[in-house]
Amino acid sequence: MAATYDAIVIGGGHNGLVAAAYLAGTGARTVVLEGRHKIGGAATTESPWPEAPEFKVTRLSYVMSLLPPTIIKDLELDRHGYKIFPMGPYYQAFPEGGSIKLYADDAKRNYEAVSQWSKKDAEAMPKWDAWLAGLADVLGPLLLTVPPALGSRKPRDLAATLRLAWRHRGLDVRTIADVTRLMTMSIADLLDDWFESPQVKGALAVNGVIGTWAGPYEPGTAYVMAHHSIGDVGDGHLGNWGFQEGGMGAVASAIESAARARGAEIQLNSPVARVLVEGGRAVGVTLANGAEIRAKVVVSTVHPKIAFLEHVGAANLPDDFVTDISRWKSRSGVVKINLALAELPDFIADPGTRLQEHHTGSVEMAPTMEYIERAFQDARDGKPAVRPFSDGVIPTAFDKTLCPEGTHIMSLFTQWVPSDWADEPHEAELEAYADRMIDCYNELAPNFKASILHRDVVGPYQMEHEYGLVGGNIFHGELSLEQLFHLRPAPGFADYRTPVPGLYYGSSATHAGGGVCGIPGWQAARAAIADRKAAVSRRRTRRS
Ligand SMILES: Cc1cc2nc3c(=O)[nH]c(=O)nc-3n(C[C@H](O)[C@H](O)[C@H](O)COP(=O)(O)OP(=O)(O)OC[C@H]3O[C@@H](n4cnc5c(N)ncnc54)[C@H](O)[C@@H]3O)c2cc1C
């Protein structure tokens, strides 16, 4: 006999757990099926060094900003262990000497920091911040909006399109132009419009290329910057990021705890092999071990190529949809390097190994836009970057739970290696790449290399094969213009529903993803709950 539930969630990443918490909250008997031995997906805290289990790293994702207060409140995540330390400034030390710190929310200190490099840029900075805040007022609420099926003539879709247009009726010509520019420009061109100093532009360009298979001169990277700049970790400071105590795995654990408290079950080591489709409807799943589990609602939160091409199968889907998912772009060339350090980096520009402010935020290796672009061009030419760029952080500046006192964890989010490195492990080349990355930091902080106690290098192949991040893309699919909003993951199916009734889709490959934001899981659960309510009310009407 197949086990039966009201709802099955495929994937125990943070989105799957959010979906399960909301579904279980309505009283639905809900089970999460996770393929790995632990929940969290890309939001995971692990001990990668068996010889030193006392060191824990946030192995993939590393900072929080995008989880909306609605979800935090609804799921009472604070009560379940969600605790964020807001990060310090962006910090870049320069090979030619000096450094810059940029603050998310301190105009006075930004003025002082930037005016060392350019008075004109220091004057421009508050205007830039205000401009971004204005755009965040438009884009922020859009993240929580279900994209309409633009072009559809169905009354429900037309109504949704009109509602969206009505909500934005207050926008003026200039705001629409600014949003259009943001969506279509490169981060390099955008920053050239505002700033003159290479140091300021390098520091501000980082968010435009995070996780992206595109250098800063590629159109669309301005939007990637905005995506990374409109969250506030719930503290009301726009663009602020923070560290979860216990690493990103603790975010997943808090959501897991909330889901369990509402009655959801979580089964680990339970890879799904197929979604069962009968009479055109999803009716359950088959696990890799052959067991069948049935439910009227199935929510998938795994990569779209796995969810649709492997689990549902082309035979159960419309041809256009299969073509769209087959063409889904999922590259990024990211390598995560996790380090255990005996002491903090001692920068020539800001000496000392005692904890100082510049250790508390992003410790960047992105001295200029040209530096970042060179790293991308190397990878585009089929080679790993000679001098990779890195968004580094030291969460243990605040979080004392990850390593023994006196030591530190440093997490380097680096780019790029060739996108096809997801096909082969490239282990020796990844180690050489990590050596070069470490050398780059060592030029700025000469104690760095010698301070490394342990290191862990995770490349695109491991991201795909161990974590299900196909192509090594960190967001289940690139945040490129042709994959945003009503096109994410496919035209006509951006409302967290799929061509198969009963099957909902809530991974980072839907609108508002990627990132650890929970919005896709929340929206997919809401769509399932709304459809169930509508079906119940239809049945009641028929009976009466
Ligand atoms: C290196 C890296 C750095 C990042 N940094 C940040 C950051 O700092 N901040 C941020 O906000 N975001 C960051 N991201 C992005 C963010 O982590 C992801 O967008 C997000 O975690 C994805 O969540 P998800 O629940 O949609 O999918 P996932 O986390 O991928 O979860 C999907 C789950 O499904 C499971 N699964 C796969 N196949 C099956 C199957 N057949 N059966 C059952 N289960 C299956 C997987 O094991 C996984 O647990 C980063 C990502 C990476 C990789």
Side-chain angles (χ1 to χ4, degrees), residues 248-262:
M248 296 296 278
V251 175
S253 298
I255 306 170
E256 176 197 16
S257 168
R260 285 190 192 277
R262 285 162 175 72

Side-chain angles (χ1 to χ4, degrees), residues 44-49 55-62 248 335-341 390-393 395 402 408-414 431 434 437-438 448 452-459 462-463 467:
T44 179
T45 305
E46 299 180 16
S47 302
W49 305 293
F55 289 97
K56 299 185 209 77
V57 300
T58 67
R59 205 159 188 221
L60 298 174
S61 60
Y62 51 108
M248 296 296 278
V335 178
K336 186 75 192 305
I337 303 172
N338 300 302
L339 303 171
L341 302 180
S390 160
D391 183 37
V393 292
L402 297 175
H408 283 279
I409 296 295
M410 186 164 185
S411 156
L412 308 181
F413 179 95
T414 78
E431 291 301 327
M437 182 79 258
I438 288 164
F448 188 61
I452 297 171
L453 300 170
H454 306 280
R455 77 180 202 186
D456 169 50
V457 183
V458 186
Q462 196 174 356
M463 288 185 203
Y467 296 93

Side-chain angles (χ1 to χ4, degrees), residues 10-16 33-36 40-43 60-63 66 241 248 270-272 301-302 306 311 334 336 413 463 467 469 474-476 507-508 514-516:
I10 306 174
H14 85 286
N15 273 316
L33 302 170
E34 166 53 46
R36 296 185 71 219
L60 298 174
S61 60
Y62 51 108
V63 279
L66 302 164
W241 288 77
M248 296 296 278
S270 303
V272 167
T301 62
V302 301
I306 303 176
H311 289 175
V334 167
K336 186 75 192 305
F413 179 95
M463 288 185 203
Y467 296 93
L469 301 167
I474 72 166
F475 297 137
H476 287 198
S507 99
S508 284
V516 182

Side-chain angles (χ1 to χ4, degrees), residues 348-388:
I348 298 168
D350 298 273
T353 57
R354 80 199 144 76
L355 181 63
Q356 298 169 70
E357 196 186 28
H358 62 272
H359 295 121
T360 62
S362 289
V363 185
E364 308 289 16
M365 180 53 63
T368 62
M369 211 125 64
E370 291 68 31
Y371 178 103
I372 304 174
E373 175 67 13
R374 183 70 259 150
F376 179 62
Q377 290 303 334
D378 287 347
R380 172 103 97 196
D381 288 348
K383 301 169 304 214
V386 175
R387 294 177 70 84

